[in-house]
Amino acid sequence: MPKLRTVAVVAGAALLARRAMRRRIRTSPLWPMPALEEPVSGRPRSRALRLLVTSREEVAEGVVRLRLEGRELPRWEPGAHLDLVLPSGLVRQYSLCGDPEDTSSYTVATRLVPDGRGGSREVHEQVREGMELEVRGPRNRFPLVEAESYVFVVGGIGITPVLPMLRALPDEVEWRLVYCGRDRASMPFVEDVEKLGRDRVTVVEGLPDLDALLAGAPEGAAVYCCGPEGLMAAMEERFPRVHLERFTPRTSGGDAFEVELRRSGRTLTVPADSTVLAAVRAELPDTLYSCEQGFCGTCQQRVLEGEVDHRDELLTDGERADSMLICVSRARGDRLVLDM
């Protein structure tokens, strides 16, 4: 190939490798990828699916993997997740960790959280092979962007959205993974990621020394983190542009404030340790809601007056101009007026 040989002579093998990497990404199902600064809409697909649980397997201590089968399922890209509607009606979000090219099944995994809000316990105790479950999505607010190099830092079950990313990256791309957990027995898919590149993977049992582990991170690398809130907060301090995946709200606390429900003619007080949703449902019990974590959009309401402290992980900047998710977001002041 004369042209490639000429480039190699002029620019060297390193430049060829970078160009080859870009070509491979651009011809993959991931292309085009959004730029780092581009917002990614997290709006869910409207179509709900009923899928059959064909496999339930414990892949680590306290971690169950589910295979959900259907026909001609919507395609997805690494970083995407599903809304899983549990038998009780609870809705929880789980990252897809299987093969994006498989349109006959989705694979998710969940860790048991004994003191959680009940979703993971229901998956572990009630979901069995042969059951049908409703799913919504997939949707992606944690996409893999095009970059020269990547740094991934995950904790425990946070490996699930990252695993398909690692599988999708071309061999020539430089990447590093720091995988943290209590111990290896509790870390799902640890053998899988080590097979993808043992020299690129650092497994940490216990608390990580992030400064030491990331001291040699390439400048300009795309940095991804998913895991416990403490780990993500520490990564945000070190890398302001880090890509994060959260499945719990940042916080529900704040100052007390008033909410006027304009159409209902009622004014409510939202305590510092409660939510707008809880206050509204005390007066209007038929108000729709689902995840209570700022992800699904069921509780979205129009804001007529007041400034909102947005704490959701779903709405776009345009949507936030005149609406809010009342399960997690609060007033940035002492009063809001909602079109309810």
Side-chain angles (χ1 to χ4, degrees):
M1 300 175 64
K3 184 176 181 179
L4 290 182
R5 283 197 296 270
T6 301
V7 173
V9 170
V10 175
L15 179 59
L16 273 179
R18 288 195 297 272
R19 290 184 174 177
M21 178 271 288
R22 291 193 184 106
R23 285 197 299 272
R24 288 185 61 178
I25 290 181
R26 287 188 174 99
T27 56
S28 78
L30 300 176
W31 185 263
M33 296 181 186
L36 281 172
E37 65 273 9
E38 290 179 347
V40 178
S41 174
R43 303 306 295 166
R45 296 169 183 250
S46 59
R47 183 161 69 103
L49 303 171
R50 301 271 321 166
L51 302 183
L52 181 67
V53 180
T54 59
S55 174
R56 179 190 182 281
E57 179 185 5
E58 186 170 346
V59 293
E61 288 182 359
V63 178
V64 165
R65 177 174 59 190
L66 302 178
R67 179 182 173 88
L68 308 166
E69 293 192 2
R71 297 180 60 185
E72 298 181 359
L73 301 179
R75 291 185 174 273
W76 58 279
E77 297 178 353
H81 69 273
L82 292 176
D83 293 337
L84 193 62
V85 183
L86 302 178
S88 67
L90 287 175
V91 180
R92 294 294 182 265
Q93 291 72 37
Y94 298 109
S95 295
L96 287 159
C97 55
D99 180 2
E101 295 300 301
D102 180 4
T103 59
S104 66
S105 71
Y106 292 142
T107 301
V108 297
T110 178
R111 179 181 298 283
L112 176 63
V113 183
D115 58 349
R117 299 187 305 120
S120 68
R121 182 175 295 279
E122 186 171 352
V123 171
H124 280 250
E125 296 181 354
Q126 298 185 31
V127 175
R128 294 289 182 265
E129 292 182 14
M131 294 181 63
E132 275 196 348
L133 294 177
E134 180 181 323
V135 304
R136 302 166 188 165
R139 50 194 171 102
N140 196 343
R141 60 170 182 270
F142 193 52
L144 183 62
V145 301
E146 183 188 12
E148 296 286 336
S149 58
Y150 299 83
V151 174
F152 302 93
V153 179
V154 301
I157 197 65
I159 189 62
T160 51
V162 169
L163 182 57
M165 295 183 180
L166 301 180
R167 289 171 174 160
L169 289 175
D171 294 338
E172 297 87 353
V173 174
E174 181 182 358
W175 60 267
R176 293 174 52 188
L177 168 68
V178 177
Y179 185 5
C180 314
R182 184 179 67 251
D183 51 49
R184 284 184 67 93
S186 68
M187 301 167 71
F189 311 122
V190 63
E191 293 85 4
D192 296 87
V193 296
E194 288 180 334
K195 289 177 183 177
L196 291 172
R198 184 176 292 273
D199 59 331
R200 305 181 183 189
V201 177
T202 302
V203 176
V204 180
E205 299 180 61
L207 295 175
D209 183 347
L210 292 177
D211 291 328
L213 290 167
L214 301 175
E219 185 176 354
V223 182
Y224 284 77
C225 181
C226 184
E229 184 61 35
L231 177 64
M232 293 193 290
M235 288 296 293
E236 278 189 297
E237 291 179 0
R238 292 162 173 79
F239 300 93
R241 299 185 68 188
V242 62
H243 299 261
L244 300 174
E245 178 76 315
R246 282 187 169 93
F247 288 111
T248 57
R250 295 173 184 263
T251 177
S252 61
D255 296 329
F257 58 95
E258 286 189 346
V259 173
E260 178 188 340
L261 308 182
R262 180 64 54 85
R263 284 188 286 115
S264 301
R266 309 183 194 193
T267 299
L268 319 174
T269 297
V270 180
D273 60 351
S274 188
T275 66
V276 177
L277 175 64
V280 168
R281 280 183 56 80
E283 295 290 328
L284 304 176
D286 292 334
T287 300
L288 295 178
Y289 73 102
S290 185
C291 75
E292 299 183 80
Q293 299 181 89
F295 299 125
C296 72
T298 305
C299 68
Q300 182 174 346
Q301 298 294 337
R302 185 178 173 215
V303 179
L304 301 178
E305 296 177 20
E307 186 178 0
V308 179
D309 177 9
H310 291 284
R311 303 184 182 187
D312 66 275
E313 299 290 335
L314 179 68
L315 299 182
T316 64
D317 289 343
E319 292 167 327
R320 288 180 174 183
D322 63 359
S323 65
M324 67 182 290
L325 300 190
I326 63 174
C327 65
V328 292
S329 296
R330 304 180 66 81
R332 195 181 298 276
D334 56 10
R335 183 177 175 82
L336 287 176
V337 179
L338 302 182
D339 186 21
M340 300 183 68

